[in-house]
Every structure is written in C-alpha cells, then in structure tokens.
C-alpha cells in the first residue's frame, strides 16, 4: 500500500523532471537572445541581420518580443532609390524608439539586405523591396503584418501608426529639425517688407486684384497637384527600373503617386489655366486682331494638350504595372 505514493512520486519526477529542465533551458535561451538583441540595439537602432541571425532571432522560438524587419536592397549596384529613402525613414523611426522614455525589450527593429541574406528572401518568397514585416511575439505573421507600402508610403509617422496597430507599442516620431519651412517663411516676410519699403507708405499694391489672383492660383495649383499628400505620405521622387534602366515618373497605381508626378500635374494644370486665360483674353481684350488670333491658337493648343495628356495618364494609372523589381 505504501508503494503507491512512492510510485506516483516516481512518475511525477520522471515526467516533470525533463519538462522543468526543458522549461529552464528555454528560459535561458530566451534571456540570452533578449540580452544579445538589447546589446545590438544599444549600438545601432536597426539591427543588420544575415540569414543565420534572422533564423535564430526572428524565426525560431522561444520569443517574447516582436521584430519589425525591413527587407531591402541598399547596395549601390541594385540602384533601388526607394530603398534608400525608406531606409532613412526607418532609421528615424527606430531612433525615435531607441531614445524614447518608453523604450522596452518588447520590440526590436531589424533589417535584411538582399545581398547579405538572399536566402531569407527566398524562404519568404519575397520578390520586392523595400518590404516591412512585423514578426509578432506569438505565432506567424498574418496578413496585416506586412506593411502596405504602396498605399501608405514609407513616412516614419505612417510606419509608427502601423507598428502601434500591430504591437501596441506607441512610438512618437522625432525628426531631426528641418529648417526649410521657417526659411521659406522668413524669405516671404523679407520680400513683403522689401516691397513695403520700396513703395514707401503707398500700400496700393495690396489692392491689386491680379496679384491676389496670382497668389491664390499658386495655392490652388499646389494643393490640386497633391503637394499635401506628398508631405504626409512621403513618396519617392521617381522610380528607376534596375533591369531596363527605365525611369518612371508616374506611379502605375491609382492609389499612389511619385513626387515627380505631382510636378508634372502642376505643370499641366498651370498650362490649362494659362490656356483658359489666353482664350478669355483673345475674346475680350482690345489688342489688335493678329495678337488675339495668336492667343486664341495658343489657348486652344494648351487646352488640347492638357486633355490628351490626361487621357494617357489615366490609361497608364488604371492599367497598372508591376512594382516589383528584384529577382523578377
Ligand atoms: C522576455 O524574457 C526575458 C527572459 O526571461 C526577459 O528578460 C524579458 O524581460 C522578457 N521580455 C518581456 C517583454 O517580457
């Protein structure tokens, strides 16, 4: 009868022993991994990973941390302009987190370059860069764990919003100061005060309708061409296909645009406006007939040019072309 508790104890020891030992080993591996990641992060906010490091720290359990990984191609011979711009934003994001007072070991930022870890690209069946993926602490990445770069752009603020969405870690993006805005404002004030000075106390130019119309028009053109969207989403200037060397200035999707594209739109919108002004002047001004005829033809030309251009852009944007440019 006394043998039964002893037997039970033996069974418990045999089962629980290895289990507890395994648990302990796991715990040790985990704390070793976390320590190593913390050490790397203290040196560089974005940890560079090759295939081996990626498999050990991102893929393999045990993990109690999320890793955001940027898959990219930064080597000059890849000529991935977008990758460089995305990298700058990603560094700003990782730096903001690294020096934040809320910094914890819950989340790490890493990157895999195509030329250092092409095996990882193959393993994940990835054929475009840059790509951002969140590897959550538990389980595999789901659909939303791949950042929608084409839709959201790669501004650090957008990335931070996505990170907050996926990991509950809120990062306040802190950018190195940008003096362009204050500089422009100062320039504008200098020009205005210069004008006031030159005109003495005569402020009649403030009542100049054409002047105000011109300023308003500049504002409207800037806004309708999508400068605000650029400011918020931070798209690249243009895109060069490394295989054909061909430059694209118009984004292939109707969901996004390049900076160059907005300049082109600005130019054509300005052109059609000028065309309308010409047509109006040709019809109503009291200049001689020859000049008015020339204005009329120029006006019609500009308007026709605008609409034929519009048609071709619509065709290319709604037809769509692949965005991927690695290994394809
Ligand atoms: C993850 O586990 C390690 C080791 O036990 C621990 O040091 C670390 O604080 C844990 N991280 C989180 C976010 O709980």
């Amino acid at each position: 009868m006394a043998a039964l508790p002893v037997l039970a104890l033996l069974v418990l020891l045999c089962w629980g022993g290895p289990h507890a030992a395994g648990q302990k080993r796991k715990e040790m591996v985990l704390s070793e991994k976390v320590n190593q990641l913390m050490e790397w992060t203290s040196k560089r906010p974005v940890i560079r990973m090759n295939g081996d490091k990626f498999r050990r720290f991102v893929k393999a359990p045990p993990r109690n941390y999320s890793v955001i990984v940027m898959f990219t191609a930064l080597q000059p011979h890849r000529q991935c302009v977008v990758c460089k711009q995305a990298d700058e934003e990603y560094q700003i994001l990782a730096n903001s987190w690294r020096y934040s007072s809320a910094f914890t070991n819950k989340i790490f930022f890493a990157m895999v370059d195509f030329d250092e870890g092409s095996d990882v690209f193959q393993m994940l069946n990835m054929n475009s860069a840059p790509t951002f993926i969140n590897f959550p602490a538990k389980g595999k990445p789901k659909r939303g764990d791949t950042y929608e770069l084409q839709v959201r752009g790669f501004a650090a603020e957008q990335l931070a919003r996505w990170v907050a969405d996926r990991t509950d870690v809120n990062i306040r993006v802190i950018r190195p100061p940008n003096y362009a805005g204050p500089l422009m404002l100062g320039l504008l004030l200098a020009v205005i005060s210069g004008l006031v000075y030159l005109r003495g106390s005569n402020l009649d130019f403030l009542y100049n309708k054409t002047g105000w119309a011109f300023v308003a028009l500049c504002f409207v053109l800037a806004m309708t061409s999508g400068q605000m969207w650029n400011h918020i989403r931070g798209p690249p200037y243009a895109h060069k296909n490394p295989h054909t060397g061909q430059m694209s200035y118009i984004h292939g999707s109707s969901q996004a645009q390049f900076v160059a594209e907005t300049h082109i739109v600005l130019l054509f919108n300005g052109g059609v406006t000028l065309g309308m002004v010409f047509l109006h002047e040709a019809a109503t001004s009291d200049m001689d007939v020859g000049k008015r005829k020339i204005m009329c033809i120029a006006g019609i030309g500009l308007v026709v040019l605008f609409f034929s251009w519009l048609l071709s852009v619509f065709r290319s944007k709604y037809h769509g072309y692949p965005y991927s440019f690695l290994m394809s």
Side-chain angles (χ1 to χ4, degrees):
M1 272 312 208
L4 210 63
V6 174
L7 203 71
L9 196 71
L10 259 175
V11 167
L12 236 160
L13 272 179
C14 291
W15 271 11
H19 185 66
Q23 196 64 35
K24 194 146 186 218
R25 210 180 67 83
K26 238 189 204 170
E27 188 61 34
M28 265 175 60
V29 171
L30 181 60
S31 78
E32 200 179 296
K33 275 163 79 168
V34 171
N35 285 343
Q36 179 68 77
L37 286 167
M38 287 295 274
E39 194 195 315
W40 282 330
T41 300
S42 69
K43 285 191 190 124
R44 260 195 212 172
V46 175
I47 303 165
R48 276 189 100 94
M49 286 189 176
N50 55 16
D52 287 341
K53 278 187 191 162
F54 178 81
R55 270 182 290 274
R56 184 162 144 66
F57 290 92
V58 180
K59 268 288 195 203
R63 279 192 298 125
N64 60 356
Y65 50 84
S66 299
V67 190
I68 309 283
V69 185
M70 172 176 70
F71 297 92
T72 190
L74 288 173
Q75 293 298 312
H77 71 269
R78 297 278 167 207
Q79 295 190 321
C80 178
V81 182
V82 201
C83 296
K84 277 203 199 74
Q85 294 166 336
D87 181 54
E88 279 166 24
E89 291 295 311
Y90 190 56
Q91 298 286 347
I92 288 174
L93 177 71
N95 253 312
S96 303
W97 173 239
R98 173 71 193 78
Y99 297 107
S100 144
S101 56
F103 178 78
T104 65
N105 53 17
K106 256 172 85 173
I107 178 174
F108 293 100
F109 290 91
M111 59 167 281
V112 178
D113 193 295
F114 183 71
D115 291 284
E116 289 162 18
S118 60
D119 47 336
V120 179
F121 279 69
Q122 256 159 30
M123 179 168 73
L124 297 174
N125 205 3
M126 197 169 341
N127 55 16
S128 66
T131 302
F132 295 91
I133 300 182
N134 167 42
F135 293 84
K138 288 198 179 69
K140 288 194 168 144
K142 302 189 180 55
R143 209 183 148 77
D145 286 316
T146 301
Y147 180 69
E148 287 183 297
L149 187 84
Q150 293 190 48
V151 179
R152 303 176 71 164
F154 45 65
E157 289 80 3
Q158 287 287 339
L159 284 165
R161 225 166 281 166
W162 168 71
V163 169
D165 222 41
R166 305 309 305 178
T167 64
D168 291 329
V169 169
N170 282 297
I171 304 174
R172 204 163 69 85
V173 172
I174 298 168
R175 287 180 179 276
N178 179 355
Y179 299 109
L183 210 70
M184 287 298 282
L185 199 69
L187 211 68
L188 198 71
L189 283 178
V191 168
I192 290 175
S193 42
L195 272 175
V196 169
Y197 177 76
L198 281 179
R199 296 289 179 119
S201 57
N202 182 358
L203 296 178
D204 272 355
F205 70 95
L206 283 179
Y207 298 102
N208 184 344
K209 267 194 219 156
T210 316
W212 284 112
F214 186 73
V215 171
L217 200 61
C218 286
F219 183 75
V220 168
L221 286 176
M223 286 302 148
T224 52
S225 62
Q227 304 307 322
M228 196 47 98
W229 194 93
N230 289 352
H231 192 74
I232 296 167
R233 299 290 182 92
Y237 190 80
H239 169 58
K240 184 175 187 182
N241 185 326
H243 294 295
T244 59
Q246 207 181 4
M247 289 297 287
S248 319
Y249 297 102
I250 307 275
H251 197 289
S253 133
S254 57
Q255 301 264 359
Q257 64 185 8
F258 294 133
V259 175
E261 185 173 340
T262 65
H263 293 166
I264 296 169
V265 170
L266 187 95
L267 204 73
F268 275 90
N269 282 359
V272 76
T273 312
L274 193 68
M276 286 295 179
V277 171
F278 276 171
L279 285 176
H280 180 261
E281 286 293 309
T284 59
S285 82
D286 42 16
M287 280 187 285
D288 65 70
V289 177
K291 267 190 190 158
R292 286 166 63 177
K293 266 187 189 156
I294 293 173
M295 274 190 149
C296 181
I297 290 166
I300 291 175
L302 281 170
V303 173
V304 167
L305 197 69
F306 172 78
F307 280 105
S308 57
W309 165 79
L310 196 67
L311 207 70
S312 78
V313 167
F314 255 68
R315 262 194 213 125
S316 82
K317 280 191 91 77
Y318 285 89
H319 171 255
Y321 79 112
Y323 194 70
S324 87
F325 45 86
L326 269 177
M327 310 189 297
S328 51

